[in-house]
Amino acid sequence: MAPKRDFLKIPDLSARETLDLLTLAADMKTGRYQERPMSGKTLAMIFAKSSTRTRVSFEVGALQLGGHALFLSSRDIQLGRGEPIRDTARVLSRMVDAIMIRTFAQDDVEELAKFATVPVINGLTDLRHPCQILADLLTVQETFGSVQDRVVAWIGDGNNMANSWIEAAGLLGFELRLACPEGYEPDHGIYHATKAKTKILITEDPDEAVEGAHVINTDVWASMGQEEEMELRKVAFQGYVVDADLMARAAKDAIVLHCLPAHRGEEITEDVLDGPQSRVFDEAENRLHAQKALLAMLLK
Ligand code: CP
Ligand code: NVA
C-alpha cells in the first residue's frame, strides 16, 4: 500500500501535482468531474480558531465527493482538556479517513500527522495557510491561464499567508515581491529555504512591490491570536494599504486577492475590495473546488 500523504505545507505536493490539482479543481468547478472518491468516507475537522470559509468549504466539499465531514471544535473535544495530540491522532485514525486541523502551532499539526495513519491537512496555523494558496493559485490561473509567468505582490503582514505564498513561488517558479514593515517580515526560515529557487523580493516599500505586478494580495494587519497587538499594528502598518493609488502602479489587468475576512478601511479600501479588479469572492468560492481536488488526490 502507498504511504499516506499529508498536506501540511505547499511543498508537500510537487510542482506537477500542484498543477494537476489545479486542473482537477477547474474540472470540478465546471461540473465535468462527477466522481465520488469520498463515498462512505469521513473527514474530521479540528478547529482551535474561528472559520467561515475553511469550515464550510471542507464540509460541503466532502459531501459533494460522496463523503461526510465532522466539525470538532477543540473547545468541545478532549484535546481542549489536555488529551495529547498524539492520542487524538491515533483515535481519530481508527474512525475517520482524513483529518483537517486549524490551530496555532505548526508543530502541533506536524505531531498530529506523525501519529495519524490517515492523511492530515493543514487548515491554517500561525505559520502557514496552504489550502488558501491552492484557491488563490486557481483564481490566478482562471484569470491569466497560468501563474508561472506572472508577478505576485504581497502588501502588509509577513504572516501565514505570506509564508505560504513564498513556498508557492519557490515550488512553481514565479516572481514574488513582498512589502512588509520592519519587524513584520515573513518567516526567516521559509524565506531562506526558498529564496534561491525563484525571484523573491522583500521590501518595506509597497510601491516597489506593486510596480507592474499582476496579482495584488493582502491580508489583515492582526491575524487570529494577535488581537492584543492590534493597536500597535495599526501604527506599524500605516501606509500598507491596497488602495486605488497603489493599484494604479500595478499592471493594467492586475487582480486583487484577499483571503478574507477583510477589514475595509485598514489593509484594503472598500472601493478596491468591491471594485472591478477584485477577485476575492471567486477566490473564496475556489476554496471549495481546490480543496475537493486536494481531498480527491489524498484519498485516492
Ligand atoms: N480565508 C479563510 O481561511 O477564511 P476562514 O477563516 O473563514 O476559514
Ligand atoms: N492571516 C489570517 C488569515 C485568516 C484566514 C489569520 O491567520 O487570521
Side-chain angles (χ1 to χ4, degrees):
M1 215 170 90
K4 63 132 179 168
R5 296 285 301 275
D6 300 312
F7 184 64
L8 311 187
K9 55 184 186 300
I10 287 285
D12 285 346
L13 297 179
S14 68
R16 183 70 264 154
E17 286 172 325
T18 304
L19 297 175
D20 288 348
L21 183 149
L22 297 178
T23 304
L24 181 60
D27 275 356
M28 288 176 165
K29 189 168 182 175
T30 61
R32 268 195 298 274
Y33 178 97
Q34 289 290 328
E35 292 169 43
R36 295 284 179 269
M38 281 189 73
S39 181
K41 294 187 175 172
T42 302
L43 169 73
M45 309 188 298
I46 303 172
F47 282 93
K49 290 176 174 171
S50 302
S51 172
T52 299
R53 282 143 287 266
T54 305
R55 177 178 175 178
V56 174
S57 54
F58 269 112
E59 188 159 340
V60 171
L63 178 78
Q64 290 181 357
L65 293 176
H68 176 67
L70 280 178
F71 173 72
L72 304 171
S73 163
S74 65
R75 283 174 292 279
D76 301 329
I77 58 174
Q78 299 288 8
L79 184 67
R81 293 183 56 245
E83 182 167 19
I85 290 171
R86 59 181 63 189
D87 290 355
T88 306
R90 289 165 169 144
V91 172
L92 289 178
S93 294
R94 298 211 177 197
M95 302 185 193
V96 305
D97 302 279
I99 305 170
M100 193 284 303
I101 179 166
R102 166 170 287 196
T103 191
F104 295 86
Q106 182 81 18
D107 285 351
D108 287 349
V109 178
E110 309 272 348
E111 169 102 346
L112 187 78
K114 184 173 166 197
F115 287 92
T117 55
V118 297
V120 171
I121 298 170
N122 178 0
L124 179 148
T125 62
D126 294 344
L127 192 64
R128 294 183 168 98
H129 196 2
C131 290
Q132 179 70 52
I133 300 302
L134 294 179
D136 295 6
L137 293 172
L138 180 60
T139 312
V140 175
Q141 180 179 281
E142 281 174 348
T143 311
F144 294 114
S146 153
V147 66
Q148 281 164 306
D149 47 0
R150 299 291 158 173
V151 177
V152 177
W154 178 266
I155 307 300
D157 193 15
N159 62 13
N160 41 13
M161 283 291 300
N163 293 331
S164 288
W165 266 110
I166 291 175
E167 293 186 318
L171 186 72
L172 298 178
F174 57 85
E175 182 178 346
L176 177 66
R177 304 185 203 140
L178 305 105
C180 312
E182 191 185 352
Y184 296 95
E185 295 88 359
D187 181 77
H188 201 257
I190 290 178
Y191 170 65
H192 280 279
T194 314
K195 67 176 188 201
K197 297 181 183 163
T198 190
K199 211 169 157 188
I200 302 177
L201 169 80
I202 300 182
T203 172
E204 286 177 36
D205 180 2
D207 290 352
E208 187 184 9
V210 160
E211 198 65 52
H214 306 100
V215 180
I216 314 301
N217 221 311
T218 190
D219 190 9
V220 290
W221 291 339
S223 285
M224 289 182 277
Q226 297 171 334
E227 288 79 5
E228 282 172 15
E229 297 174 29
M230 192 59 211
E231 291 313 310
L232 189 70
R233 284 171 171 265
K234 274 185 181 164
V235 177
F237 286 88
Q238 283 309 311
Y240 290 82
V241 181
V242 177
D243 58 14
D245 285 348
L246 194 68
M247 287 306 298
R249 296 178 173 273
K252 272 203 174 57
D253 57 350
I255 60 167
V256 175
L257 298 182
H258 189 311
C259 63
L260 302 177
H263 289 175
R264 288 171 163 80
E266 289 184 8
E267 75 278 1
I268 189 163
T269 54
E270 180 132 36
D271 58 324
V272 172
L273 189 73
D274 295 330
Q277 289 171 287
S278 172
R279 293 289 179 280
V280 300
F281 296 104
D282 294 327
E283 179 188 6
E285 178 189 331
N286 285 340
R287 293 293 303 276
L288 173 65
H289 310 298
Q291 286 159 201
K292 280 171 70 181
L294 177 68
L295 287 168
M297 274 179 96
L298 297 182
L299 287 170
K300 75 166 181 261

